[in-house]
């Protein structure tokens, strides 16, 4: 790679700046072109995006693509896939892509990594099936019926979100008698309300922590052990109820987790990119090993798309570039994720960690200070609910909030009248995207109020309140149907989008030093408090 050039010094960046300062057409004008919707589409790996409602012209798009070239985004992606040490502040490779490519012949990351990944994946899958079939027995020789995941951040959000998204498969198959629960919060109520309905003799805990030192998770695990002991589990049989997933097995084994019940991953898997590893164990228990592997295949399909699709058809790259345009040139400080499918209720929370922990940075890879904007505040939730809560601000408030609408082309709910529900859901999604894009001008508002039969004085009084500025950019992401495969593709799409943006901004996406100071202070305070109590 050539020596680092700050983004604002790149030619294409300057051209984009000039374009953003010249008068740009309102989306109302852009969308008058009937061909726009057809042209501004791209698809791959069962997912397509419609970005006709982004505030981009042909000129802007050309310069964005030039920016990707000048920033060497795809060269940087190749370095990641090769296993180069791209996380230089921690001296680590970044190879979550290898977790979903253990079957790939001649992988760029090398056969030995594939072998380790394949070995651990097989262990995870076999164990998940054993649990699902009721073969995991507790201390009283009763089958485990409830698995409680204890973990936080990347050791919770990925498996929790996908369990909710894909859990309907469990009900459909009627095979799985095991329920999976998630506790991430060290607040005692969180653990209590989960455990209150469970039978300790039939409950197992999956303690997930890459480091196995996270205070919240360690506290939860300690209480879980006490709950088992208090319920009569002999100390010598506690291990039957305990499973560890970690990149630090020395620590978990010192805490009584057996090697058979310990599943590993590696320092080259970031926590927020770890659902593809053994961290996916609770998900595999919930949806089955085959479905879990299907999710990996979906992510692999997106990896292949990312590495081979032409730039102007490349979903992650296009989404990254549109995000850069909105953030750096249109000045949007925030970005909303609005899935229109209730199983994706936790998708925005999952993306929050992926995006904000990765790209919430202010230092370039060469140690110099960043002088352009980096990650926006990413937030969101189910679009239908948002419409009746915070969409008011997006329509008429003062923030420019670019949106990702996520819709399913087909809905597979077993409810007999599901098609009618799906029709209403998609109608709303499309109406919101259009209303936010074209808005309603003051003249149109006056006309609409007059047409409603309102008297002129009332029309003039209300018109200022009933305008919609519009021009809110959005991308609609269409997923063919919600399946493990498409879920894998959707998550990988966002992972690579985050990667591309970091590559353009010249920041490290795979460390998270920002979260360390607070952790250290909590530790320091704990030590000081213990010393004070001793005195
Ligand atoms: O505090 C942030 C963080 O380090 C995340 O990056 C990580 O996913 C989470 O904590 C949990 O860490 P661990 O898996 O080591 O318990």
């Amino acid at each position: 790679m050539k020596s680092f050039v700050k983004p604002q010094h790149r030619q294409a960046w300057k051209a984009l700046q000039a374009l953003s300062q010249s008068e740009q057409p309102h989306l109302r004008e852009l969308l008058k072109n009937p061909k726009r919707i057809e042209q501004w589409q791209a698809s791959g790996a069962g997912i397509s995006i419609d970005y006709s409602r982004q505030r981009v012209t042909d000129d802007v798009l050309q310069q964005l693509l030039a920016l990707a070239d000048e920033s060497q985004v795809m060269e940087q992606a190749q370095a990641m896939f090769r296993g180069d040490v791209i996380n230089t502040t921690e001296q680590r490779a970044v190879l979550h892509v290898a977790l979903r490519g253990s079957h790939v012949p001649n992988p760029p990351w090398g056969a030995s990594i594939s072998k380790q990944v394949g070995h651990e994946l097989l262990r995870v899958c076999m164990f998940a099936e054993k649990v699902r079939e009721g073969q995991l027995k507790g201390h009283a020789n009763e089958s485990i019926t409830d698995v409680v995941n204890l973990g936080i951040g990347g050791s919770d959000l990925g498996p929790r979100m996908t369990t909710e998204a894909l859990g309907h498969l469990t009900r459909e198959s009627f095979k799985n008698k095991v329920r999976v629960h998630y506790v991430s919060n060290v607040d005692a109520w969180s653990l209590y309300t989960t455990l209150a309905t469970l039978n300790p003799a039939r409950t197992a805990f999956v303690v997930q922590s890459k480091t196995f030192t996270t205070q919240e998770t360690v506290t939860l695990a300690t209480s879980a052990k006490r709950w088992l002991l208090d319920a009569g589990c002999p100390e010598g049989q506690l291990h039957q109820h305990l499973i560890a997933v970690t990149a630090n097995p020395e620590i978990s084994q010192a805490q009584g987790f057996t090697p058979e019940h310990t599943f590993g991953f590696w320092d080259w898997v970031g926590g927020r990119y770890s659902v593809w590893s053994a961290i996916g164990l609770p998900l595999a228990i919930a949806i089955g090993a085959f479905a879990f592997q299907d999710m990996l295949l979906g992510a692999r399909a997106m990896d292949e798309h990312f590495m081979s699709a032409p730039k102007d058809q490349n979903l992650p790259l296009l989404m990254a570039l549109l995000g850069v345009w909105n953030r750096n040139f249109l000045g949007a400080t925030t970005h909303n994720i609005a899935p229109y499918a209730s199983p994706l209720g936790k998708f925005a929370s999952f993306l929050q960690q992926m995006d904000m922990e990765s790209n919430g940075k202010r230092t370039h890879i060469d140690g110099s200070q960043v002088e352009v904007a980096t990650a926006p505040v990413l937030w969101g939730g189910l679009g239908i609910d948002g419409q009746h809560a915070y969409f008011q601000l997006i329509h008429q408030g003062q923030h420019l909030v670019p949106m990702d609408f996520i819709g399913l082309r087909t809905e597979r709910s077993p409810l007999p009248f599901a098609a009618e529900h799906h029709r209403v859901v998609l109608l709303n999604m499309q109406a919101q995207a259009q209303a936010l894009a074209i808005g309603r001008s003051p003249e149109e508002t006056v006309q609409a109020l007059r047409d409603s039969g309102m008297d002129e004085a009332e029309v003039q009084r209300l018109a200022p309140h009933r305008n919609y500025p519009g021009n809110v950019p959005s991308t609609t992401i269409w997923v063919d149907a919600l399946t493990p495969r498409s879920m894998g593709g959707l998550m990988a799409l966002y992972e690579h989008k985050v990667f591309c943006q970091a590559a353009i901004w010249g920041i490290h996406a795979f460390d998270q030093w920002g979260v360390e100071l607070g952790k250290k202070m909590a530790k320091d305070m704990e030590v000081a408090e213990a010393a004070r109590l001793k005195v």
Side-chain angles (χ1 to χ4, degrees):
M1 209 184 130
K2 289 187 228 142
S3 66
F4 178 67
V5 176
K6 288 193 175 218
Q8 68 270 29
H9 297 148
R10 299 176 200 151
Q11 286 308 318
W13 190 280
K14 290 180 194 162
L16 287 163
Q17 212 147 29
L19 281 166
S20 68
Q21 281 155 13
S22 66
E23 203 178 326
Q24 291 291 314
H26 191 287
L27 274 171
R28 197 178 293 145
E29 294 309 313
L30 291 173
L31 287 163
K32 281 185 183 154
N33 174 1
K35 296 236 163 79
R36 189 169 170 92
I37 295 191
E38 277 161 50
Q39 284 166 353
W40 297 69
Q41 301 264 349
S43 55
I47 294 177
S48 38
I49 63 169
D50 167 359
Y51 60 105
S52 59
R53 294 189 186 87
Q54 289 287 346
R55 281 161 56 177
V56 283
T57 57
D58 288 331
D59 289 346
V60 170
L61 184 63
Q62 286 323 311
Q63 289 304 331
L64 286 170
L65 292 167
L67 179 65
D69 282 340
E70 238 185 301
S71 309
Q72 299 185 286
V73 174
M74 295 317 291
E75 289 82 349
Q76 294 189 56
Q78 276 159 6
M80 174 171 76
F81 276 73
R82 271 197 311 266
D84 291 6
V85 177
I86 60 169
N87 174 0
T88 56
T89 65
E90 295 179 301
Q91 284 305 324
R92 290 175 184 169
V94 175
L95 275 177
H96 47 278
V97 289
L99 298 169
R100 52 238 192 178
S102 57
H103 59 289
V104 171
N106 304 318
W109 47 81
S112 107
I113 285 188
S114 276
K115 200 170 157 205
Q116 293 172 56
V117 170
H119 173 78
E120 210 54 17
L121 176 61
L122 186 64
R123 286 189 67 223
V124 166
C125 289
M126 286 173 64
F127 189 77
E129 286 305 313
K130 177 175 164 180
V131 176
R132 284 166 65 82
E133 280 160 19
Q135 289 171 21
L136 182 68
K137 301 281 168 69
H139 68 91
N141 208 29
E142 293 183 69
S143 293
I144 295 297
T145 53
D146 291 89
V147 170
V148 182
N149 191 74
L150 306 178
I152 195 162
S155 297
D156 166 75
L157 289 164
R160 184 196 286 258
M161 181 279 288
T162 44
T163 298
E164 186 172 308
L166 302 172
H168 56 281
L169 295 176
T170 311
R171 285 195 293 281
E172 275 169 14
S173 72
F174 295 110
K175 216 181 135 200
N176 191 20
K177 303 266 185 306
V178 177
R179 289 174 294 265
V180 178
H181 314 263
Y182 288 88
V183 179
S184 60
N185 204 307
V186 69
D187 178 305
W189 279 109
S190 183
L191 187 62
Y192 169 77
T193 50
T194 303
L195 298 187
T197 58
L198 303 185
N199 174 354
R202 288 177 164 268
T203 301
F205 293 91
V206 181
V207 182
Q208 307 230 60
S209 176
K210 181 175 173 185
T211 54
F212 233 76
T213 56
T214 301
Q215 190 187 37
E216 294 92 327
T217 304
V218 171
T219 308
L220 286 170
T222 306
S223 296
K225 286 183 198 167
R226 280 177 47 192
W227 179 74
L228 291 167
L229 291 170
D230 290 351
C233 175
E235 183 135 24
Q237 286 179 275
L238 210 48
H239 63 90
Q240 290 175 240
H241 296 258
L242 298 175
I243 299 130
V245 179
T246 184
N248 211 346
E250 294 77 27
I251 301 195
S252 63
Q253 281 167 31
Q255 291 178 16
F257 293 79
T258 62
E260 302 73 56
H261 276 194
T262 301
F263 298 89
F265 60 110
W266 304 271
D267 70 354
W268 41 260
V269 183
R272 52 196 175 273
Y273 299 90
S274 64
V275 65
W276 322 103
S277 72
I279 290 286
L281 175 64
L283 170 66
I285 294 172
I287 65 172
F290 284 112
F292 178 64
Q293 289 182 73
D294 238 13
M295 189 182 85
L296 302 188
L297 289 178
R300 174 66 201 165
M302 185 55 73
D303 295 341
E304 281 168 6
H305 166 86
F306 176 47
M307 294 310 283
S308 63
K311 291 197 184 75
D312 62 354
Q313 292 298 310
N314 193 310
L315 302 185
L317 182 63
L318 283 171
M319 282 179 53
L321 292 171
L322 296 167
V324 166
W325 173 248
N326 290 330
R327 178 75 179 111
N328 297 101
F329 301 99
L330 301 186
T333 55
T334 170
H335 186 104
N336 182 274
I337 305 291
Y340 277 69
S342 57
L344 294 178
K346 298 213 162 48
F347 192 55
S349 308
F350 167 72
L351 290 187
Q352 246 174 1
Q353 186 198 16
M354 184 200 289
D355 198 299
M356 292 167 78
E357 202 172 66
S358 296
N359 286 350
K361 308 284 167 64
R362 54 169 62 204
T363 308
H364 281 306
I365 49 174
D366 68 350
S368 63
Q369 197 181 333
V370 177
E371 286 146 328
V372 300
T374 59
V377 175
L378 189 131
W379 60 290
L382 293 176
I384 289 280
D385 296 304
Q387 284 174 208
H388 299 276
Y390 45 76
F391 273 34
Q392 164 63 37
L393 178 145
I394 306 175
H395 281 285
Q396 286 188 318
Q398 296 164 309
H399 296 268
L400 175 65
V401 187
M403 312 271 303
D404 284 358
F405 290 98
I406 305 174
L408 307 182
R409 287 196 197 279
T410 43
E411 219 286 319
R412 292 182 171 173
S413 150
L415 201 67
F417 19 87
E420 173 57 7
H421 288 253
H422 194 221
R423 185 187 70 77
V424 174
V425 165
L426 293 190
L427 191 71
N428 272 277
M429 183 180 83
Q430 288 161 306
Q432 289 297 327
Q434 188 69 353
L436 287 164
I438 64 174
R440 189 168 72 177
S441 69
E443 299 73 33
E444 287 169 326
T445 297
V446 166
Q447 196 52 53
L449 296 184
R450 280 182 188 149
D451 290 350
S452 74
M454 203 178 269
D455 71 51
E456 191 57 24
E458 199 60 355
V459 167
Q460 296 305 327
R461 189 178 74 79
L462 287 180
H465 301 278
R466 299 188 56 178
N467 293 321
Y468 300 84
N471 222 12
V472 176
S474 70
T475 297
T476 303
I477 298 158
W478 286 102
V479 178
D480 289 345
L482 192 59
T483 62
R485 207 170 276 232
S486 65
M487 193 69 231
L490 187 64
M491 290 190 286
L493 165 62
Y494 276 94
E495 284 182 350
H496 293 318
K497 180 208 99 161
V498 168
F499 174 88
C500 293
Q501 291 189 332
I504 292 167
W505 288 323
I507 55 176
H508 277 301
F510 298 106
D511 61 16
Q512 57 284 319
W513 293 108
V515 300
E516 291 305 319
L517 184 61
K519 287 188 200 172
K520 182 181 175 314
M521 284 195 177
K523 271 255 160 325
D524 292 350
M525 285 176 190
E526 193 175 40
V527 171
E529 178 69 358
R532 195 183 62 77
L533 291 175
K534 254 192 193 162
V535 176

